[in-house]
Amino acid sequence: MWKNLEKGFQAAFEQAWQAYKLGTIPIGAAILSQDGEIMAASHNQIFADGGGAVKFHQIAHAEINAILQLSEMTSQNVRENVRAYTLYSTMEPCPLCFGAIVMGSIRNVKFAAQDSFAGASTLNDKMDYIRNKNITFAYLGGDAEIVQIAVQVCFELELSWHNGDKVVASWEEACPRGVALGKHLFEHKILKNMIEHKFETVYNHILSLEV
């Protein structure tokens, strides 16, 4: 349930919900300091203007905008401690975001759901250059993964874009309950009907559904 999520994941999911409400891909990211302070938080803005540095562009991903938000801070403390910060994402970073993590001095990453279509965390041991960065990736899974996949499947079905079926099919083997719930959310317009609710309520409701 929502109360069991780390603060960083709660912040990331709240960003993902904001993305969904704006009509763009529901992925969110947050960067927390070693003391648990939220230093940056953003969401996907490929199809929307959510106030990020990059919007209405194919590279306007949640992690990209969170890292760019952090880079705008000129504080010496931020520059000195960024390697101790943790980036939380609702979805496994793609190759684009993986590269931004490497080059943005992020050294700790946690993600809620595996992305069997575009996830790139396995690149972490493919080059000496990257291995020497000592980046740690931690996958949460469980309820958080189910909710993320469900919301994203619902969005993919609402969008009806040309690649949607392939994307959903790639997630079904890894997270069948998440995909089933996503289809249920879409068919019954559940997310649309809960658009004014806080994501804590939405999160718990999704997990309560019998499908």
Side-chain angles (χ1 to χ4, degrees):
M1 302 302 281
W2 179 263
K3 67 180 181 181
N4 298 325
L5 286 176
E6 289 182 57
K7 178 181 178 180
F9 279 121
Q10 290 181 347
F13 270 111
E14 286 167 351
Q15 288 291 321
W17 185 230
Q18 181 65 20
Y20 176 82
K21 292 196 289 185
L22 289 173
T24 191
I25 299 171
I27 297 176
I31 300 173
L32 273 65
S33 72
Q34 62 270 45
D35 298 320
E37 178 184 359
I38 297 175
M39 306 301 295
S42 194
H43 53 77
N44 181 284
Q45 295 176 46
I46 288 177
F47 304 121
D49 180 355
V54 187
K55 49 213 170 199
F56 293 117
H57 195 284
Q58 289 300 314
I59 69 168
H61 290 200
E63 297 92 332
I64 297 289
N65 271 311
I67 291 169
L68 288 174
Q69 191 181 111
L70 189 69
S71 71
E72 293 171 357
M73 300 177 184
T74 57
S75 165
Q76 183 69 23
N77 182 58
V78 171
R79 292 197 299 271
E80 290 177 352
N81 291 289
V82 64
R83 287 175 175 79
Y85 294 173
T86 300
L87 184 149
Y88 292 80
S89 180
T90 59
M91 198 72 165
E92 181 181 0
C94 70
L96 170 69
C97 297
F98 178 87
I101 287 164
V102 172
M103 304 310 294
S105 298
I106 303 296
R107 297 296 176 258
N108 305 288
V109 180
K110 295 184 178 183
F111 58 92
Q114 285 184 316
D115 185 353
S116 49
F117 183 74
S121 62
T122 56
L123 296 175
N124 202 30
D125 64 353
K126 299 304 181 187
M127 294 172 57
D128 287 341
Y129 176 78
I130 296 174
R131 279 194 293 270
N132 289 337
K133 303 290 185 182
N134 294 316
I135 304 171
T136 63
F137 281 84
Y139 157 55
L140 180 61
D143 287 348
E145 178 170 57
I146 289 169
V147 171
Q148 174 61 29
I149 295 298
V151 173
Q152 204 160 344
V153 165
C154 181
F155 176 81
E156 296 286 344
L157 294 174
E158 289 172 354
L159 189 64
S160 298
W161 68 321
H162 70 283
N163 224 17
D165 290 344
K166 185 185 298 184
V167 173
V168 171
S170 74
W171 296 333
E172 192 155 23
E173 184 174 349
C175 189
R177 176 159 171 75
V179 171
L181 282 168
K183 291 177 179 178
H184 182 78
L185 295 175
F186 170 70
E187 291 167 3
H188 297 276
K189 298 182 172 57
I190 292 172
L191 294 187
K192 293 298 185 184
N193 291 332
M194 298 187 74
I195 204 73
E196 299 301 326
H197 288 72
K198 292 183 178 179
F199 194 67
E200 176 180 357
T201 302
V202 177
Y203 185 97
N204 290 334
H205 181 67
I206 291 172
L207 292 174
S208 74
L209 293 172
E210 296 291 337
V211 176

